[in-house]
Amino acid sequence: MIGQKIILLDEVDSTNNYTAKLLNEGKMAHGTVILAEKQTAGRGQRGSLWHSASGKQFTCSVYTATAFLSVERYWYLNLAVALAVRETIQAFILEKAVIKWPNDILVNDKKIAGILIETQWNSGNIMGAIIGVGINLQRESDLSSSCSLVDFTDNNPEILEMARQLSSLLELQFERLRSGNWNEILQDYHAMLWKKDVLMDARIENDWEEGYIRGIDGIGNLLFEVNGEERSFGLKEIAFAY
């Protein structure tokens, strides 16, 4: 069960790195949560860095055994994790949290959380995933593209409380993955997808195009409609301004 074991560290370079180290040493079981008060060299999507000062960010990694997922269905893991992180944040604020494809969490068009999923392979087979989660608890910078929980609530949760909340919601999502509730997961993701069906600008091949996010396709790519044509885009093929 996810969250049955939580390891709390004072400081670590990266919770994902620490989890991978324990996994390589054979000391990591499914559902173990690595939680850090301070992270000095965390990593995000596209190689970005995620530093966290003590009490400013919630940073954790969760090891999950995912061998039950086929390669064809593996992209649903990203959807399930994004839904769990979004709902974790929603439990503490009134403003609506949404998912910016593929898995950033935004509130009022500003990033409040990020997710990094690192797949673990063995002899060409997917065996597990290290799920890294970073949530802004307090604002560390004046970046207009980011926000934190304290921007929306005076009740700043303890990191252990948040870890237990996230673990519970991840466990519920994993039950849906194991049961093969693909349509239900996809529908929930679409319901929380940032700017879905709203006219907006996107950068495609170094040009800005006006169109609509319509959802995601059967392999997890983003569907974006331009000039009445619905097109599929991978992670580095389309970009938006927050």
Short mmCIF file of all heavy atoms in Angstrom, two decimals, residues 65-125:
data_model
loop_
_atom_site.label_atom_id
_atom_site.label_comp_id
_atom_site.label_asym_id
_atom_site.label_seq_id
_atom_site.Cartn_x
_atom_site.Cartn_y
_atom_site.Cartn_z
N ALA A 65 5.57 -0.17 -7.91
CA ALA A 65 5.74 -1.31 -8.80
C ALA A 65 4.67 -1.22 -9.89
O ALA A 65 3.48 -1.20 -9.59
CB ALA A 65 5.62 -2.62 -8.03
N THR A 66 5.09 -1.14 -11.14
CA THR A 66 4.14 -0.91 -12.23
C THR A 66 4.20 -2.00 -13.29
O THR A 66 3.75 -1.79 -14.42
CB THR A 66 4.40 0.46 -12.89
OG1 THR A 66 5.76 0.51 -13.34
CG2 THR A 66 4.15 1.59 -11.91
N ALA A 67 4.75 -3.17 -12.95
CA ALA A 67 4.87 -4.25 -13.94
C ALA A 67 3.50 -4.70 -14.45
O ALA A 67 3.41 -5.30 -15.53
CB ALA A 67 5.62 -5.43 -13.33
N PHE A 68 2.44 -4.42 -13.70
CA PHE A 68 1.10 -4.82 -14.13
C PHE A 68 0.60 -3.99 -15.31
O PHE A 68 -0.38 -4.37 -15.98
CB PHE A 68 0.11 -4.71 -12.96
CG PHE A 68 -0.16 -3.31 -12.50
CD1 PHE A 68 -1.20 -2.57 -13.02
CD2 PHE A 68 0.65 -2.72 -11.53
CE1 PHE A 68 -1.45 -1.27 -12.59
CE2 PHE A 68 0.41 -1.43 -11.09
CZ PHE A 68 -0.63 -0.70 -11.63
N LEU A 69 1.25 -2.85 -15.58
CA LEU A 69 0.84 -2.00 -16.69
C LEU A 69 1.57 -2.42 -17.97
O LEU A 69 2.79 -2.56 -17.97
CB LEU A 69 1.16 -0.54 -16.40
CG LEU A 69 0.25 0.21 -15.44
CD1 LEU A 69 0.85 1.58 -15.11
CD2 LEU A 69 -1.15 0.37 -16.01
N SER A 70 0.82 -2.60 -19.05
CA SER A 70 1.45 -2.89 -20.33
C SER A 70 2.12 -1.63 -20.86
O SER A 70 1.79 -0.51 -20.44
CB SER A 70 0.41 -3.39 -21.34
OG SER A 70 -0.50 -2.34 -21.67
N VAL A 71 3.05 -1.80 -21.78
CA VAL A 71 3.71 -0.65 -22.39
C VAL A 71 2.68 0.25 -23.06
O VAL A 71 2.78 1.48 -23.00
CB VAL A 71 4.78 -1.12 -23.41
CG1 VAL A 71 5.35 0.07 -24.17
CG2 VAL A 71 5.88 -1.89 -22.71
N GLU A 72 1.68 -0.35 -23.68
CA GLU A 72 0.65 0.41 -24.39
C GLU A 72 -0.21 1.25 -23.45
O GLU A 72 -0.73 2.29 -23.84
CB GLU A 72 -0.26 -0.53 -25.19
CG GLU A 72 0.42 -1.24 -26.35
CD GLU A 72 1.30 -2.40 -25.90
OE1 GLU A 72 1.14 -2.86 -24.75
OE2 GLU A 72 2.17 -2.82 -26.70
N ARG A 73 -0.36 0.80 -22.21
CA ARG A 73 -1.19 1.51 -21.24
C ARG A 73 -0.38 2.33 -20.23
O ARG A 73 -0.95 3.01 -19.38
CB ARG A 73 -2.05 0.50 -20.46
CG ARG A 73 -3.01 -0.31 -21.30
CD ARG A 73 -4.16 0.52 -21.80
NE ARG A 73 -5.21 -0.30 -22.39
CZ ARG A 73 -6.32 0.19 -22.95
NH1 ARG A 73 -6.52 1.48 -22.99
NH2 ARG A 73 -7.22 -0.63 -23.47
N TYR A 74 0.93 2.28 -20.36
CA TYR A 74 1.79 2.87 -19.33
C TYR A 74 1.58 4.38 -19.20
O TYR A 74 1.73 4.94 -18.11
CB TYR A 74 3.26 2.57 -19.64
CG TYR A 74 4.19 2.92 -18.51
CD1 TYR A 74 4.26 2.13 -17.37
CD2 TYR A 74 5.00 4.06 -18.57
CE1 TYR A 74 5.10 2.44 -16.32
CE2 TYR A 74 5.84 4.38 -17.52
CZ TYR A 74 5.89 3.57 -16.40
OH TYR A 74 6.73 3.90 -15.37
N TRP A 75 1.20 5.05 -20.28
CA TRP A 75 1.03 6.50 -20.22
C TRP A 75 -0.12 6.91 -19.30
O TRP A 75 -0.18 8.06 -18.85
CB TRP A 75 0.83 7.08 -21.62
CG TRP A 75 -0.36 6.58 -22.36
CD1 TRP A 75 -0.45 5.44 -23.11
CD2 TRP A 75 -1.65 7.19 -22.44
NE1 TRP A 75 -1.71 5.31 -23.65
CE2 TRP A 75 -2.46 6.37 -23.26
CE3 TRP A 75 -2.20 8.36 -21.91
CZ2 TRP A 75 -3.80 6.68 -23.55
CZ3 TRP A 75 -3.52 8.67 -22.19
CH2 TRP A 75 -4.31 7.83 -23.01
N TYR A 76 -1.00 5.96 -18.98
CA TYR A 76 -2.08 6.27 -18.03
C TYR A 76 -1.53 6.55 -16.63
O TYR A 76 -2.19 7.19 -15.82
CB TYR A 76 -3.08 5.12 -17.96
CG TYR A 76 -4.11 5.15 -19.07
CD1 TYR A 76 -3.90 4.45 -20.25
CD2 TYR A 76 -5.29 5.88 -18.94
CE1 TYR A 76 -4.85 4.46 -21.27
CE2 TYR A 76 -6.24 5.90 -19.95
CZ TYR A 76 -6.01 5.20 -21.11
OH TYR A 76 -6.94 5.23 -22.12
N LEU A 77 -0.32 6.05 -16.35
CA LEU A 77 0.29 6.33 -15.05
C LEU A 77 0.44 7.83 -14.84
O LEU A 77 0.17 8.34 -13.75
CB LEU A 77 1.66 5.64 -14.96
CG LEU A 77 2.48 5.94 -13.70
CD1 LEU A 77 1.78 5.39 -12.45
CD2 LEU A 77 3.89 5.35 -13.82
N ASN A 78 0.87 8.53 -15.88
CA ASN A 78 1.02 9.98 -15.78
C ASN A 78 -0.30 10.66 -15.45
O ASN A 78 -0.36 11.58 -14.62
CB ASN A 78 1.58 10.53 -17.09
CG ASN A 78 1.73 12.03 -17.08
OD1 ASN A 78 2.54 12.58 -16.35
ND2 ASN A 78 0.91 12.72 -17.86
N LEU A 79 -1.38 10.22 -16.09
CA LEU A 79 -2.70 10.79 -15.83
C LEU A 79 -3.11 10.55 -14.39
O LEU A 79 -3.58 11.47 -13.70
CB LEU A 79 -3.74 10.17 -16.77
CG LEU A 79 -3.90 10.76 -18.17
CD1 LEU A 79 -2.61 10.69 -18.98
CD2 LEU A 79 -5.03 10.06 -18.92
N ALA A 80 -2.93 9.31 -13.93
CA ALA A 80 -3.35 8.95 -12.58
C ALA A 80 -2.59 9.74 -11.52
O ALA A 80 -3.17 10.22 -10.54
CB ALA A 80 -3.14 7.44 -12.36
N VAL A 81 -1.28 9.89 -11.72
CA VAL A 81 -0.46 10.63 -10.76
C VAL A 81 -0.86 12.11 -10.75
O VAL A 81 -1.01 12.72 -9.68
CB VAL A 81 1.04 10.47 -11.08
CG1 VAL A 81 1.88 11.41 -10.21
CG2 VAL A 81 1.47 9.03 -10.88
N ALA A 82 -1.05 12.69 -11.93
CA ALA A 82 -1.45 14.09 -12.01
C ALA A 82 -2.78 14.33 -11.30
O ALA A 82 -2.96 15.33 -10.60
CB ALA A 82 -1.54 14.53 -13.47
N LEU A 83 -3.72 13.40 -11.46
CA LEU A 83 -5.01 13.53 -10.79
C LEU A 83 -4.85 13.48 -9.27
O LEU A 83 -5.49 14.24 -8.54
CB LEU A 83 -5.96 12.43 -11.27
CG LEU A 83 -6.53 12.60 -12.68
CD1 LEU A 83 -7.19 11.31 -13.15
CD2 LEU A 83 -7.52 13.75 -12.73
N ALA A 84 -3.99 12.59 -8.79
CA ALA A 84 -3.79 12.46 -7.34
C ALA A 84 -3.13 13.71 -6.76
O ALA A 84 -3.53 14.19 -5.68
CB ALA A 84 -2.94 11.22 -7.04
N VAL A 85 -2.13 14.25 -7.45
CA VAL A 85 -1.46 15.45 -6.96
C VAL A 85 -2.41 16.64 -6.99
O VAL A 85 -2.47 17.44 -6.05
CB VAL A 85 -0.19 15.74 -7.78
CG1 VAL A 85 0.45 17.06 -7.34
CG2 VAL A 85 0.82 14.60 -7.63
N ARG A 86 -3.18 16.76 -8.07
CA ARG A 86 -4.15 17.85 -8.17
C ARG A 86 -5.16 17.79 -7.02
O ARG A 86 -5.46 18.80 -6.38
CB ARG A 86 -4.90 17.77 -9.51
CG ARG A 86 -5.76 19.00 -9.80
CD ARG A 86 -7.03 18.66 -10.56
NE ARG A 86 -8.00 17.98 -9.71
CZ ARG A 86 -8.86 18.62 -8.90
NH1 ARG A 86 -8.87 19.93 -8.81
NH2 ARG A 86 -9.72 17.93 -8.16
N GLU A 87 -5.66 16.60 -6.74
CA GLU A 87 -6.66 16.45 -5.68
C GLU A 87 -6.05 16.70 -4.30
O GLU A 87 -6.73 17.21 -3.39
CB GLU A 87 -7.29 15.06 -5.74
CG GLU A 87 -8.56 14.94 -4.93
CD GLU A 87 -9.31 13.65 -5.18
OE1 GLU A 87 -9.00 12.95 -6.16
OE2 GLU A 87 -10.21 13.34 -4.37
N THR A 88 -4.78 16.36 -4.13
CA THR A 88 -4.09 16.65 -2.87
C THR A 88 -4.08 18.15 -2.61
O THR A 88 -4.40 18.61 -1.51
CB THR A 88 -2.65 16.12 -2.91
OG1 THR A 88 -2.67 14.69 -3.06
CG2 THR A 88 -1.90 16.47 -1.63
N ILE A 89 -3.71 18.92 -3.62
CA ILE A 89 -3.68 20.38 -3.48
C ILE A 89 -5.09 20.92 -3.25
O ILE A 89 -5.31 21.79 -2.40
CB ILE A 89 -3.04 21.00 -4.73
CG1 ILE A 89 -1.56 20.62 -4.80
CG2 ILE A 89 -3.22 22.52 -4.75
CD1 ILE A 89 -0.91 20.90 -6.13
N GLN A 90 -6.05 20.38 -4.00
CA GLN A 90 -7.43 20.85 -3.89
C GLN A 90 -7.99 20.67 -2.48
O GLN A 90 -8.85 21.45 -2.04
CB GLN A 90 -8.31 20.12 -4.89
CG GLN A 90 -9.66 20.77 -5.12
CD GLN A 90 -9.54 22.13 -5.80
OE1 GLN A 90 -9.31 22.21 -6.99
NE2 GLN A 90 -9.68 23.20 -5.03
N ALA A 91 -7.49 19.68 -1.76
CA ALA A 91 -7.98 19.41 -0.41
C ALA A 91 -7.65 20.54 0.56
O ALA A 91 -8.27 20.66 1.62
CB ALA A 91 -7.38 18.10 0.11
N PHE A 92 -6.69 21.41 0.19
CA PHE A 92 -6.24 22.45 1.10
C PHE A 92 -6.65 23.86 0.68
O PHE A 92 -6.44 24.81 1.43
CB PHE A 92 -4.72 22.39 1.25
CG PHE A 92 -4.22 21.11 1.87
CD1 PHE A 92 -3.71 20.10 1.08
CD2 PHE A 92 -4.29 20.91 3.24
CE1 PHE A 92 -3.26 18.91 1.64
CE2 PHE A 92 -3.85 19.73 3.81
CZ PHE A 92 -3.33 18.73 3.01
N ILE A 93 -7.23 24.01 -0.52
CA ILE A 93 -7.58 25.35 -1.00
C ILE A 93 -8.98 25.34 -1.62
O ILE A 93 -9.50 24.28 -1.99
CB ILE A 93 -6.56 25.88 -2.04
CG1 ILE A 93 -6.56 25.00 -3.30
CG2 ILE A 93 -5.17 25.96 -1.43
CD1 ILE A 93 -5.67 25.53 -4.41
N LEU A 94 -9.57 26.53 -1.76
CA LEU A 94 -10.89 26.66 -2.38
C LEU A 94 -10.79 26.92 -3.88
O LEU A 94 -11.64 26.48 -4.65
CB LEU A 94 -11.68 27.79 -1.71
CG LEU A 94 -12.06 27.57 -0.24
CD1 LEU A 94 -12.77 28.80 0.32
CD2 LEU A 94 -12.94 26.33 -0.09
N GLU A 95 -9.75 27.66 -4.30
CA GLU A 95 -9.57 27.93 -5.72
C GLU A 95 -9.34 26.63 -6.47
O GLU A 95 -8.73 25.69 -5.95
CB GLU A 95 -8.38 28.88 -5.94
CG GLU A 95 -8.64 30.32 -5.57
CD GLU A 95 -8.55 30.57 -4.08
OE1 GLU A 95 -8.23 29.61 -3.33
OE2 GLU A 95 -8.78 31.71 -3.66
N LYS A 96 -9.80 26.58 -7.72
CA LYS A 96 -9.72 25.34 -8.48
C LYS A 96 -8.30 25.09 -8.98
O LYS A 96 -7.68 25.94 -9.62
CB LYS A 96 -10.68 25.39 -9.67
CG LYS A 96 -10.74 24.07 -10.45
CD LYS A 96 -11.75 24.15 -11.58
CE LYS A 96 -11.82 22.82 -12.33
NZ LYS A 96 -12.81 22.88 -13.44
N ALA A 97 -7.78 23.91 -8.69
CA ALA A 97 -6.50 23.46 -9.22
C ALA A 97 -6.77 22.66 -10.50
O ALA A 97 -7.72 21.88 -10.56
CB ALA A 97 -5.77 22.59 -8.20
N VAL A 98 -5.93 22.86 -11.52
CA VAL A 98 -6.12 22.17 -12.79
C VAL A 98 -4.79 21.58 -13.24
O VAL A 98 -3.73 21.88 -12.69
CB VAL A 98 -6.67 23.13 -13.88
CG1 VAL A 98 -8.06 23.61 -13.51
CG2 VAL A 98 -5.73 24.31 -14.09
N ILE A 99 -4.86 20.74 -14.27
CA ILE A 99 -3.67 20.05 -14.79
C ILE A 99 -3.28 20.66 -16.13
O ILE A 99 -4.07 20.65 -17.07
CB ILE A 99 -3.93 18.54 -14.96
CG1 ILE A 99 -4.36 17.91 -13.63
CG2 ILE A 99 -2.68 17.85 -15.51
CD1 ILE A 99 -4.92 16.51 -13.78
N LYS A 100 -2.08 21.18 -16.20
CA LYS A 100 -1.54 21.63 -17.48
C LYS A 100 -0.77 20.46 -18.08
O LYS A 100 0.17 19.96 -17.48
CB LYS A 100 -0.62 22.83 -17.31
CG LYS A 100 -0.07 23.35 -18.63
CD LYS A 100 0.96 24.44 -18.43
CE LYS A 100 1.54 24.88 -19.77
NZ LYS A 100 2.69 25.80 -19.61
N TRP A 101 -1.20 20.02 -19.26
CA TRP A 101 -0.56 18.87 -19.90
C TRP A 101 0.95 19.06 -19.98
O TRP A 101 1.42 20.16 -20.29
CB TRP A 101 -1.13 18.70 -21.31
CG TRP A 101 -0.50 17.59 -22.09
CD1 TRP A 101 -0.84 16.27 -22.07
CD2 TRP A 101 0.59 17.72 -23.01
NE1 TRP A 101 -0.03 15.57 -22.92
CE2 TRP A 101 0.86 16.43 -23.51
CE3 TRP A 101 1.37 18.78 -23.46
CZ2 TRP A 101 1.88 16.18 -24.43
CZ3 TRP A 101 2.39 18.55 -24.37
CH2 TRP A 101 2.62 17.26 -24.84
N PRO A 102 1.76 18.02 -19.64
CA PRO A 102 1.26 16.70 -19.25
C PRO A 102 0.93 16.55 -17.76
O PRO A 102 0.03 15.82 -17.41
CB PRO A 102 2.41 15.78 -19.64
CG PRO A 102 3.63 16.63 -19.49
CD PRO A 102 3.21 18.02 -19.90
N ASN A 103 1.69 17.25 -16.87
CA ASN A 103 1.43 16.99 -15.46
C ASN A 103 1.84 18.12 -14.51
O ASN A 103 2.14 17.86 -13.34
CB ASN A 103 2.10 15.68 -15.01
CG ASN A 103 3.58 15.63 -15.32
OD1 ASN A 103 4.22 16.66 -15.50
ND2 ASN A 103 4.14 14.44 -15.36
N ASP A 104 1.87 19.35 -14.98
CA ASP A 104 2.01 20.48 -14.06
C ASP A 104 0.65 20.78 -13.44
O ASP A 104 -0.38 20.63 -14.10
CB ASP A 104 2.52 21.73 -14.77
CG ASP A 104 4.02 21.70 -15.02
OD1 ASP A 104 4.70 20.86 -14.41
OD2 ASP A 104 4.49 22.52 -15.82
N ILE A 105 0.65 21.23 -12.20
CA ILE A 105 -0.60 21.62 -11.54
C ILE A 105 -0.60 23.14 -11.39
O ILE A 105 0.36 23.72 -10.88
CB ILE A 105 -0.74 20.95 -10.16
CG1 ILE A 105 -0.48 19.43 -10.26
CG2 ILE A 105 -2.13 21.22 -9.59
CD1 ILE A 105 -1.39 18.68 -11.20
N LEU A 106 -1.68 23.76 -11.86
CA LEU A 106 -1.81 25.21 -11.84
C LEU A 106 -3.00 25.64 -11.01
O LEU A 106 -4.00 24.93 -10.91
CB LEU A 106 -1.99 25.77 -13.26
CG LEU A 106 -1.03 25.36 -14.37
CD1 LEU A 106 -1.35 26.17 -15.63
CD2 LEU A 106 0.41 25.54 -13.98
N VAL A 107 -2.87 26.82 -10.42
CA VAL A 107 -4.00 27.51 -9.79
C VAL A 107 -3.98 28.94 -10.31
O VAL A 107 -2.94 29.61 -10.26
CB VAL A 107 -3.90 27.49 -8.25
CG1 VAL A 107 -5.09 28.23 -7.65
CG2 VAL A 107 -3.82 26.07 -7.72
N ASN A 108 -5.10 29.39 -10.85
CA ASN A 108 -5.18 30.73 -11.44
C ASN A 108 -4.08 30.95 -12.48
O ASN A 108 -3.44 32.01 -12.53
CB ASN A 108 -5.11 31.81 -10.36
CG ASN A 108 -6.32 31.81 -9.46
OD1 ASN A 108 -7.35 31.21 -9.78
ND2 ASN A 108 -6.23 32.47 -8.31
N ASP A 109 -3.84 29.93 -13.30
CA ASP A 109 -2.86 29.98 -14.40
C ASP A 109 -1.42 30.06 -13.92
O ASP A 109 -0.52 30.38 -14.71
CB ASP A 109 -3.15 31.15 -15.35
CG ASP A 109 -4.43 30.96 -16.14
OD1 ASP A 109 -4.89 29.81 -16.27
OD2 ASP A 109 -4.98 31.97 -16.62
N LYS A 110 -1.16 29.77 -12.66
CA LYS A 110 0.20 29.79 -12.13
C LYS A 110 0.57 28.41 -11.58
O LYS A 110 -0.26 27.74 -10.96
CB LYS A 110 0.33 30.85 -11.04
CG LYS A 110 0.12 32.27 -11.55
CD LYS A 110 0.32 33.30 -10.44
CE LYS A 110 0.13 34.72 -10.97
NZ LYS A 110 0.38 35.73 -9.92
N LYS A 111 1.82 28.02 -11.79
CA LYS A 111 2.26 26.69 -11.39
C LYS A 111 2.43 26.60 -9.88
O LYS A 111 3.14 27.40 -9.27
CB LYS A 111 3.58 26.34 -12.08
CG LYS A 111 4.09 24.94 -11.76
CD LYS A 111 5.33 24.61 -12.58
CE LYS A 111 5.88 23.24 -12.22
NZ LYS A 111 7.06 22.87 -13.05
N ILE A 112 1.79 25.59 -9.30
CA ILE A 112 1.91 25.35 -7.87
C ILE A 112 2.61 24.03 -7.57
O ILE A 112 3.14 23.83 -6.48
CB ILE A 112 0.52 25.39 -7.18
CG1 ILE A 112 0.67 25.51 -5.66
CG2 ILE A 112 -0.32 24.18 -7.56
CD1 ILE A 112 -0.63 25.80 -4.94
N ALA A 113 2.66 23.13 -8.56
CA ALA A 113 3.28 21.82 -8.34
C ALA A 113 3.79 21.24 -9.65
O ALA A 113 3.27 21.53 -10.73
CB ALA A 113 2.28 20.86 -7.69
N GLY A 114 4.82 20.41 -9.51
CA GLY A 114 5.37 19.70 -10.66
C GLY A 114 5.59 18.23 -10.33
O GLY A 114 5.70 17.85 -9.15
N ILE A 115 5.66 17.42 -11.37
CA ILE A 115 5.79 15.97 -11.22
C ILE A 115 6.88 15.48 -12.16
O ILE A 115 6.96 15.92 -13.31
CB ILE A 115 4.46 15.26 -11.56
CG1 ILE A 115 3.34 15.72 -10.62
CG2 ILE A 115 4.61 13.74 -11.50
CD1 ILE A 115 1.94 15.37 -11.11
N LEU A 116 7.72 14.58 -11.68
CA LEU A 116 8.72 13.92 -12.53
C LEU A 116 8.62 12.42 -12.29
O LEU A 116 8.85 11.95 -11.17
CB LEU A 116 10.13 14.42 -12.22
CG LEU A 116 11.26 13.74 -13.01
CD1 LEU A 116 11.13 14.05 -14.50
CD2 LEU A 116 12.62 14.17 -12.49
N ILE A 117 8.26 11.67 -13.33
CA ILE A 117 8.15 10.22 -13.23
C ILE A 117 9.32 9.58 -13.97
O ILE A 117 9.51 9.83 -15.17
CB ILE A 117 6.81 9.72 -13.82
CG1 ILE A 117 5.64 10.35 -13.06
CG2 ILE A 117 6.73 8.20 -13.76
CD1 ILE A 117 4.28 10.00 -13.64
N GLU A 118 10.10 8.78 -13.26
CA GLU A 118 11.26 8.11 -13.85
C GLU A 118 11.00 6.61 -13.87
O GLU A 118 10.88 5.97 -12.82
CB GLU A 118 12.52 8.45 -13.07
CG GLU A 118 12.85 9.94 -13.14
CD GLU A 118 14.14 10.31 -12.44
OE1 GLU A 118 14.31 9.93 -11.26
OE2 GLU A 118 14.97 10.99 -13.05
N THR A 119 10.94 6.07 -15.07
CA THR A 119 10.62 4.65 -15.26
C THR A 119 11.83 3.78 -14.94
O THR A 119 12.96 4.11 -15.30
CB THR A 119 10.17 4.40 -16.71
OG1 THR A 119 9.06 5.25 -17.00
CG2 THR A 119 9.77 2.95 -16.93
N GLN A 120 11.58 2.67 -14.27
CA GLN A 120 12.62 1.71 -13.91
C GLN A 120 12.47 0.47 -14.79
O GLN A 120 11.41 -0.14 -14.83
CB GLN A 120 12.51 1.34 -12.43
CG GLN A 120 12.53 2.53 -11.48
CD GLN A 120 13.80 3.34 -11.59
OE1 GLN A 120 14.90 2.83 -11.39
NE2 GLN A 120 13.66 4.62 -11.92
N TRP A 121 13.56 0.12 -15.47
CA TRP A 121 13.54 -0.99 -16.43
C TRP A 121 14.38 -2.16 -15.93
O TRP A 121 15.32 -1.98 -15.17
CB TRP A 121 14.10 -0.54 -17.78
CG TRP A 121 13.30 0.53 -18.45
CD1 TRP A 121 13.36 1.88 -18.20
CD2 TRP A 121 12.33 0.36 -19.48
NE1 TRP A 121 12.49 2.55 -19.01
CE2 TRP A 121 11.85 1.65 -19.82
CE3 TRP A 121 11.84 -0.75 -20.16
CZ2 TRP A 121 10.88 1.84 -20.80
CZ3 TRP A 121 10.88 -0.56 -21.14
CH2 TRP A 121 10.41 0.72 -21.45
N ASN A 122 14.02 -3.35 -16.39
CA ASN A 122 14.81 -4.56 -16.10
C ASN A 122 14.70 -5.49 -17.30
O ASN A 122 13.63 -5.98 -17.62
CB ASN A 122 14.30 -5.26 -14.84
CG ASN A 122 15.18 -6.44 -14.44
OD1 ASN A 122 16.23 -6.67 -15.03
ND2 ASN A 122 14.74 -7.17 -13.44
N SER A 123 15.84 -5.67 -18.00
CA SER A 123 15.88 -6.54 -19.18
C SER A 123 14.83 -6.16 -20.22
O SER A 123 14.16 -7.01 -20.80
CB SER A 123 15.70 -8.01 -18.78
OG SER A 123 16.71 -8.41 -17.86
N GLY A 124 14.67 -4.85 -20.43
CA GLY A 124 13.74 -4.37 -21.43
C GLY A 124 12.30 -4.32 -20.99
O GLY A 124 11.42 -3.93 -21.78
N ASN A 125 12.02 -4.68 -19.73
CA ASN A 125 10.65 -4.65 -19.21
C ASN A 125 10.50 -3.55 -18.16
O ASN A 125 11.40 -3.32 -17.36
CB ASN A 125 10.29 -6.00 -18.58
CG ASN A 125 10.32 -7.13 -19.59
OD1 ASN A 125 9.79 -7.00 -20.68
ND2 ASN A 125 10.95 -8.24 -19.22
#
